[in-house]
Amino acid sequence: MTPVEILESMKAPSQTNGYSKPGQLHALLKQKIFQLKQERQAIILAHNYQEGAIQDVADFCGDSLGLARTAQKTDAKVILFCGVHFMAETAAMLCPEKTVLIPDLAAGCSLADMIIPEQIKTWRAKHPDGLVVCYVNTSAAVKAECDYCVTSTNGIKVIEHLPAEKPILFVPDYYLGSYLKAKTKRNIHLWKGYCPAHAAILPEKVDQLREEHPQAEFLMHPECGCTTKQMNLADQVLSTEGMVQYVNRSSSKEFIIATETGLLNRLRTQYPEKDFYPASEHATCHHMQRNTLEKAFMALVKMEHIVKVDPEIAARAVVPIQRMLELI
Ligand code: 13P
């Protein structure tokens, strides 16, 4: 059944027919989602890149760290995770007693797919005294082979906590790794993974925007492909939530935003009096865009798609995540 057919079957006989205008369908879907959340004792967690309609029905919107923390402390029975698969996996591992759903199982992460567990085992064999730090954008199977996990918010703090003499492998994001290496001056071996959406942000375009908008502050996500060139020029290197909070604190009226363009929805909704310029219109994540309001509705109707991690893998993968959460 399609979302519209299900809505029809849920309707009271007195309700009039037809969802001809997209706004009408969305309004009804939102209403039913709020109803279903109560029935299922569910909460909706939405990443900052998700479309506005999903953020409207979410109980919490945030970055990877905020979402993991919220999953950890909720007493809801069901978490509908509107984000990508590794984020839902993290929630499933932190709350094994809850049902974690994702609207579209194919919402993966190209960056997370750039490293597999065997590659970490190979590095460890060559560096038996080394430590492996993974970005949260990794599969549970990869996390299971790592010592510490980081998000875009806390990488410096976690790396500085590690013994200075140990070699460190950082996976999979080369640019976040380069940033952490420059900031901590540690012996970090970098994996050559990258986020295709952030790689679309080019230094030349950033230079041009900075010339066009000299008053604008330049906020950059550390996954940006141009991190190595622009790092010293960026006014701030921040996670997605860090950008939202920073705009709130700043007296500036204009910002150049170097991250996936989905964040602009949230910024423009929350701060309509300020202007935001995307560092690239092409910085879009097709995985994040797989989740839609219709699929979120269907997920709660059918209680699908359940995200589960093999218990043996989860028992190991949760260790680097917990170490990170305890440190910050
Ligand atoms: P944040 O944790 O900064 O939201 O980033 C997550 C991510 O996947 C960025 O591409």
Side-chain angles (χ1 to χ4, degrees), residues 117-139:
E118 287 63 33
Q119 291 167 312
I120 295 180
K121 289 181 193 160
T122 304
W123 187 86
R124 279 207 194 272
K126 288 188 197 147
H127 304 86
D129 62 334
L131 290 170
V132 183
V133 178
C134 62
Y135 189 26
V136 69
N137 298 40
T138 41
S139 67

PDB file of all heavy atoms in Angstrom, residues 117-139:
ATOM      1  N   PRO A 117      37.071  -3.895   7.738  1.00  0.00           N
ATOM      2  CA  PRO A 117      37.805  -4.360   8.922  1.00  0.00           C
ATOM      3  C   PRO A 117      39.176  -4.953   8.587  1.00  0.00           C
ATOM      4  O   PRO A 117      40.157  -4.702   9.296  1.00  0.00           O
ATOM      5  CB  PRO A 117      36.882  -5.433   9.518  1.00  0.00           C
ATOM      6  CG  PRO A 117      35.522  -5.082   9.035  1.00  0.00           C
ATOM      7  CD  PRO A 117      35.683  -4.428   7.700  1.00  0.00           C
ATOM      8  N   GLU A 118      39.286  -5.687   7.487  1.00  0.00           N
ATOM      9  CA  GLU A 118      40.557  -6.349   7.145  1.00  0.00           C
ATOM     10  C   GLU A 118      41.681  -5.329   6.963  1.00  0.00           C
ATOM     11  O   GLU A 118      42.838  -5.604   7.264  1.00  0.00           O
ATOM     12  CB  GLU A 118      40.423  -7.179   5.856  1.00  0.00           C
ATOM     13  CG  GLU A 118      39.616  -8.460   6.010  1.00  0.00           C
ATOM     14  CD  GLU A 118      38.163  -8.229   6.399  1.00  0.00           C
ATOM     15  OE1 GLU A 118      37.569  -7.205   5.977  1.00  0.00           O
ATOM     16  OE2 GLU A 118      37.613  -9.060   7.158  1.00  0.00           O
ATOM     17  N   GLN A 119      41.347  -4.151   6.464  1.00  0.00           N
ATOM     18  CA  GLN A 119      42.386  -3.133   6.226  1.00  0.00           C
ATOM     19  C   GLN A 119      42.949  -2.618   7.559  1.00  0.00           C
ATOM     20  O   GLN A 119      44.128  -2.283   7.652  1.00  0.00           O
ATOM     21  CB  GLN A 119      41.800  -1.981   5.386  1.00  0.00           C
ATOM     22  CG  GLN A 119      41.499  -2.451   3.976  1.00  0.00           C
ATOM     23  CD  GLN A 119      40.646  -1.469   3.188  1.00  0.00           C
ATOM     24  OE1 GLN A 119      39.623  -0.983   3.665  1.00  0.00           O
ATOM     25  NE2 GLN A 119      41.067  -1.177   1.968  1.00  0.00           N
ATOM     26  N   ILE A 120      42.112  -2.598   8.564  1.00  0.00           N
ATOM     27  CA  ILE A 120      42.596  -2.174   9.889  1.00  0.00           C
ATOM     28  C   ILE A 120      43.480  -3.269  10.481  1.00  0.00           C
ATOM     29  O   ILE A 120      44.544  -2.984  11.052  1.00  0.00           O
ATOM     30  CB  ILE A 120      41.411  -1.847  10.814  1.00  0.00           C
ATOM     31  CG1 ILE A 120      40.692  -0.628  10.234  1.00  0.00           C
ATOM     32  CG2 ILE A 120      41.887  -1.583  12.242  1.00  0.00           C
ATOM     33  CD1 ILE A 120      39.515  -0.161  10.992  1.00  0.00           C
ATOM     34  N   LYS A 121      43.065  -4.522  10.288  1.00  0.00           N
ATOM     35  CA  LYS A 121      43.876  -5.649  10.811  1.00  0.00           C
ATOM     36  C   LYS A 121      45.261  -5.628  10.162  1.00  0.00           C
ATOM     37  O   LYS A 121      46.266  -5.879  10.816  1.00  0.00           O
ATOM     38  CB  LYS A 121      43.168  -6.975  10.547  1.00  0.00           C
ATOM     39  CG  LYS A 121      41.927  -7.165  11.401  1.00  0.00           C
ATOM     40  CD  LYS A 121      41.278  -8.504  11.106  1.00  0.00           C
ATOM     41  CE  LYS A 121      39.893  -8.572  11.694  1.00  0.00           C
ATOM     42  NZ  LYS A 121      39.043  -9.586  11.099  1.00  0.00           N
ATOM     43  N   THR A 122      45.324  -5.311   8.886  1.00  0.00           N
ATOM     44  CA  THR A 122      46.614  -5.260   8.182  1.00  0.00           C
ATOM     45  C   THR A 122      47.507  -4.172   8.797  1.00  0.00           C
ATOM     46  O   THR A 122      48.690  -4.383   9.038  1.00  0.00           O
ATOM     47  CB  THR A 122      46.379  -4.959   6.672  1.00  0.00           C
ATOM     48  OG1 THR A 122      45.500  -5.950   6.178  1.00  0.00           O
ATOM     49  CG2 THR A 122      47.668  -4.961   5.873  1.00  0.00           C
ATOM     50  N   TRP A 123      46.935  -2.997   9.058  1.00  0.00           N
ATOM     51  CA  TRP A 123      47.724  -1.903   9.666  1.00  0.00           C
ATOM     52  C   TRP A 123      48.199  -2.308  11.063  1.00  0.00           C
ATOM     53  O   TRP A 123      49.350  -2.099  11.418  1.00  0.00           O
ATOM     54  CB  TRP A 123      46.888  -0.622   9.747  1.00  0.00           C
ATOM     55  CG  TRP A 123      47.696   0.571  10.200  1.00  0.00           C
ATOM     56  CD1 TRP A 123      48.444   1.399   9.418  1.00  0.00           C
ATOM     57  CD2 TRP A 123      47.852   1.049  11.547  1.00  0.00           C
ATOM     58  NE1 TRP A 123      49.052   2.373  10.190  1.00  0.00           N
ATOM     59  CE2 TRP A 123      48.704   2.181  11.508  1.00  0.00           C
ATOM     60  CE3 TRP A 123      47.349   0.640  12.787  1.00  0.00           C
ATOM     61  CZ2 TRP A 123      49.071   2.909  12.642  1.00  0.00           C
ATOM     62  CZ3 TRP A 123      47.714   1.369  13.924  1.00  0.00           C
ATOM     63  CH2 TRP A 123      48.568   2.483  13.856  1.00  0.00           C
ATOM     64  N   ARG A 124      47.328  -2.936  11.821  1.00  0.00           N
ATOM     65  CA  ARG A 124      47.692  -3.343  13.192  1.00  0.00           C
ATOM     66  C   ARG A 124      48.842  -4.355  13.170  1.00  0.00           C
ATOM     67  O   ARG A 124      49.712  -4.317  14.038  1.00  0.00           O
ATOM     68  CB  ARG A 124      46.495  -3.976  13.895  1.00  0.00           C
ATOM     69  CG  ARG A 124      45.522  -2.965  14.461  1.00  0.00           C
ATOM     70  CD  ARG A 124      44.803  -3.612  15.633  1.00  0.00           C
ATOM     71  NE  ARG A 124      43.633  -2.871  16.044  1.00  0.00           N
ATOM     72  CZ  ARG A 124      43.656  -1.873  16.934  1.00  0.00           C
ATOM     73  NH1 ARG A 124      44.791  -1.480  17.461  1.00  0.00           N
ATOM     74  NH2 ARG A 124      42.536  -1.273  17.290  1.00  0.00           N
ATOM     75  N   ALA A 125      48.827  -5.241  12.171  1.00  0.00           N
ATOM     76  CA  ALA A 125      49.898  -6.246  12.099  1.00  0.00           C
ATOM     77  C   ALA A 125      51.248  -5.555  11.917  1.00  0.00           C
ATOM     78  O   ALA A 125      52.262  -6.000  12.447  1.00  0.00           O
ATOM     79  CB  ALA A 125      49.616  -7.217  10.953  1.00  0.00           C
ATOM     80  N   LYS A 126      51.255  -4.440  11.195  1.00  0.00           N
ATOM     81  CA  LYS A 126      52.513  -3.696  10.963  1.00  0.00           C
ATOM     82  C   LYS A 126      52.843  -2.744  12.113  1.00  0.00           C
ATOM     83  O   LYS A 126      53.978  -2.292  12.239  1.00  0.00           O
ATOM     84  CB  LYS A 126      52.380  -2.860   9.673  1.00  0.00           C
ATOM     85  CG  LYS A 126      52.394  -3.716   8.421  1.00  0.00           C
ATOM     86  CD  LYS A 126      52.461  -2.816   7.199  1.00  0.00           C
ATOM     87  CE  LYS A 126      52.076  -3.575   5.959  1.00  0.00           C
ATOM     88  NZ  LYS A 126      51.398  -2.784   4.954  1.00  0.00           N
ATOM     89  N   HIS A 127      51.853  -2.369  12.911  1.00  0.00           N
ATOM     90  CA  HIS A 127      52.047  -1.406  14.014  1.00  0.00           C
ATOM     91  C   HIS A 127      51.420  -1.978  15.275  1.00  0.00           C
ATOM     92  O   HIS A 127      50.384  -1.467  15.750  1.00  0.00           O
ATOM     93  CB  HIS A 127      51.387  -0.049  13.682  1.00  0.00           C
ATOM     94  CG  HIS A 127      51.866   0.540  12.406  1.00  0.00           C
ATOM     95  ND1 HIS A 127      51.314   0.237  11.174  1.00  0.00           N
ATOM     96  CD2 HIS A 127      52.876   1.400  12.152  1.00  0.00           C
ATOM     97  CE1 HIS A 127      51.951   0.899  10.228  1.00  0.00           C
ATOM     98  NE2 HIS A 127      52.906   1.608  10.797  1.00  0.00           N
ATOM     99  N   PRO A 128      52.040  -3.030  15.836  1.00  0.00           N
ATOM    100  CA  PRO A 128      51.390  -3.709  16.968  1.00  0.00           C
ATOM    101  C   PRO A 128      51.191  -2.816  18.191  1.00  0.00           C
ATOM    102  O   PRO A 128      50.303  -3.074  18.997  1.00  0.00           O
ATOM    103  CB  PRO A 128      52.335  -4.876  17.284  1.00  0.00           C
ATOM    104  CG  PRO A 128      53.562  -4.661  16.476  1.00  0.00           C
ATOM    105  CD  PRO A 128      53.283  -3.672  15.403  1.00  0.00           C
ATOM    106  N   ASP A 129      51.976  -1.738  18.306  1.00  0.00           N
ATOM    107  CA  ASP A 129      51.787  -0.834  19.454  1.00  0.00           C
ATOM    108  C   ASP A 129      50.882   0.351  19.090  1.00  0.00           C
ATOM    109  O   ASP A 129      50.687   1.266  19.900  1.00  0.00           O
ATOM    110  CB  ASP A 129      53.149  -0.318  19.951  1.00  0.00           C
ATOM    111  CG  ASP A 129      53.868   0.487  18.861  1.00  0.00           C
ATOM    112  OD1 ASP A 129      53.590   0.225  17.656  1.00  0.00           O
ATOM    113  OD2 ASP A 129      54.667   1.377  19.192  1.00  0.00           O
ATOM    114  N   GLY A 130      50.334   0.357  17.882  1.00  0.00           N
ATOM    115  CA  GLY A 130      49.554   1.517  17.424  1.00  0.00           C
ATOM    116  C   GLY A 130      48.122   1.516  17.945  1.00  0.00           C
ATOM    117  O   GLY A 130      47.618   0.510  18.451  1.00  0.00           O
ATOM    118  N   LEU A 131      47.485   2.677  17.802  1.00  0.00           N
ATOM    119  CA  LEU A 131      46.082   2.823  18.188  1.00  0.00           C
ATOM    120  C   LEU A 131      45.279   3.208  16.938  1.00  0.00           C
ATOM    121  O   LEU A 131      45.785   3.942  16.086  1.00  0.00           O
ATOM    122  CB  LEU A 131      45.925   3.927  19.234  1.00  0.00           C
ATOM    123  CG  LEU A 131      46.504   3.613  20.619  1.00  0.00           C
ATOM    124  CD1 LEU A 131      46.515   4.878  21.481  1.00  0.00           C
ATOM    125  CD2 LEU A 131      45.714   2.501  21.309  1.00  0.00           C
ATOM    126  N   VAL A 132      44.066   2.702  16.876  1.00  0.00           N
ATOM    127  CA  VAL A 132      43.227   3.032  15.719  1.00  0.00           C
ATOM    128  C   VAL A 132      42.042   3.875  16.189  1.00  0.00           C
ATOM    129  O   VAL A 132      41.298   3.478  17.089  1.00  0.00           O
ATOM    130  CB  VAL A 132      42.732   1.770  14.985  1.00  0.00           C
ATOM    131  CG1 VAL A 132      41.922   2.160  13.751  1.00  0.00           C
ATOM    132  CG2 VAL A 132      43.904   0.880  14.598  1.00  0.00           C
ATOM    133  N   VAL A 133      41.919   5.040  15.560  1.00  0.00           N
ATOM    134  CA  VAL A 133      40.819   5.952  15.881  1.00  0.00           C
ATOM    135  C   VAL A 133      39.922   6.038  14.648  1.00  0.00           C
ATOM    136  O   VAL A 133      40.411   6.296  13.547  1.00  0.00           O
ATOM    137  CB  VAL A 133      41.342   7.363  16.245  1.00  0.00           C
ATOM    138  CG1 VAL A 133      40.195   8.319  16.531  1.00  0.00           C
ATOM    139  CG2 VAL A 133      42.285   7.283  17.444  1.00  0.00           C
ATOM    140  N   CYS A 134      38.639   5.786  14.860  1.00  0.00           N
ATOM    141  CA  CYS A 134      37.729   5.864  13.699  1.00  0.00           C
ATOM    142  C   CYS A 134      36.801   7.043  13.851  1.00  0.00           C
ATOM    143  O   CYS A 134      36.388   7.407  14.949  1.00  0.00           O
ATOM    144  CB  CYS A 134      36.924   4.588  13.536  1.00  0.00           C
ATOM    145  SG  CYS A 134      35.847   4.214  14.913  1.00  0.00           S
ATOM    146  N   TYR A 135      36.482   7.628  12.726  1.00  0.00           N
ATOM    147  CA  TYR A 135      35.407   8.626  12.656  1.00  0.00           C
ATOM    148  C   TYR A 135      34.106   7.851  12.839  1.00  0.00           C
ATOM    149  O   TYR A 135      34.019   6.676  12.453  1.00  0.00           O
ATOM    150  CB  TYR A 135      35.483   9.265  11.260  1.00  0.00           C
ATOM    151  CG  TYR A 135      34.602  10.471  11.023  1.00  0.00           C
ATOM    152  CD1 TYR A 135      34.179  11.303  12.048  1.00  0.00           C
ATOM    153  CD2 TYR A 135      34.224  10.794   9.717  1.00  0.00           C
ATOM    154  CE1 TYR A 135      33.397  12.414  11.787  1.00  0.00           C
ATOM    155  CE2 TYR A 135      33.442  11.907   9.445  1.00  0.00           C
ATOM    156  CZ  TYR A 135      33.024  12.708  10.491  1.00  0.00           C
ATOM    157  OH  TYR A 135      32.246  13.804  10.230  1.00  0.00           O
ATOM    158  N   VAL A 136      33.114   8.505  13.388  1.00  0.00           N
ATOM    159  CA  VAL A 136      31.827   7.829  13.611  1.00  0.00           C
ATOM    160  C   VAL A 136      31.222   7.346  12.281  1.00  0.00           C
ATOM    161  O   VAL A 136      30.447   6.389  12.255  1.00  0.00           O
ATOM    162  CB  VAL A 136      30.872   8.755  14.413  1.00  0.00           C
ATOM    163  CG1 VAL A 136      30.429   9.943  13.585  1.00  0.00           C
ATOM    164  CG2 VAL A 136      29.709   7.994  15.006  1.00  0.00           C
ATOM    165  N   ASN A 137      31.631   7.976  11.176  1.00  0.00           N
ATOM    166  CA  ASN A 137      31.167   7.546   9.844  1.00  0.00           C
ATOM    167  C   ASN A 137      31.891   6.266   9.432  1.00  0.00           C
ATOM    168  O   ASN A 137      32.729   6.258   8.515  1.00  0.00           O
ATOM    169  CB  ASN A 137      31.445   8.636   8.794  1.00  0.00           C
ATOM    170  CG  ASN A 137      30.720   9.931   9.067  1.00  0.00           C
ATOM    171  OD1 ASN A 137      30.623  10.367  10.206  1.00  0.00           O
ATOM    172  ND2 ASN A 137      30.210  10.558   8.025  1.00  0.00           N
ATOM    173  N   THR A 138      31.605   5.182  10.134  1.00  0.00           N
ATOM    174  CA  THR A 138      32.167   3.859   9.836  1.00  0.00           C
ATOM    175  C   THR A 138      31.106   2.835  10.197  1.00  0.00           C
ATOM    176  O   THR A 138      30.235   3.087  11.049  1.00  0.00           O
ATOM    177  CB  THR A 138      33.418   3.565  10.703  1.00  0.00           C
ATOM    178  OG1 THR A 138      33.184   4.036  12.034  1.00  0.00           O
ATOM    179  CG2 THR A 138      34.683   4.175  10.162  1.00  0.00           C
ATOM    180  N   SER A 139      31.218   1.653   9.594  1.00  0.00           N
ATOM    181  CA  SER A 139      30.270   0.580   9.933  1.00  0.00           C
ATOM    182  C   SER A 139      30.582   0.042  11.326  1.00  0.00           C
ATOM    183  O   SER A 139      31.696   0.225  11.841  1.00  0.00           O
ATOM    184  CB  SER A 139      30.398  -0.551   8.914  1.00  0.00           C
ATOM    185  OG  SER A 139      31.679  -1.149   9.059  1.00  0.00           O
TER     186      SER A 139
END
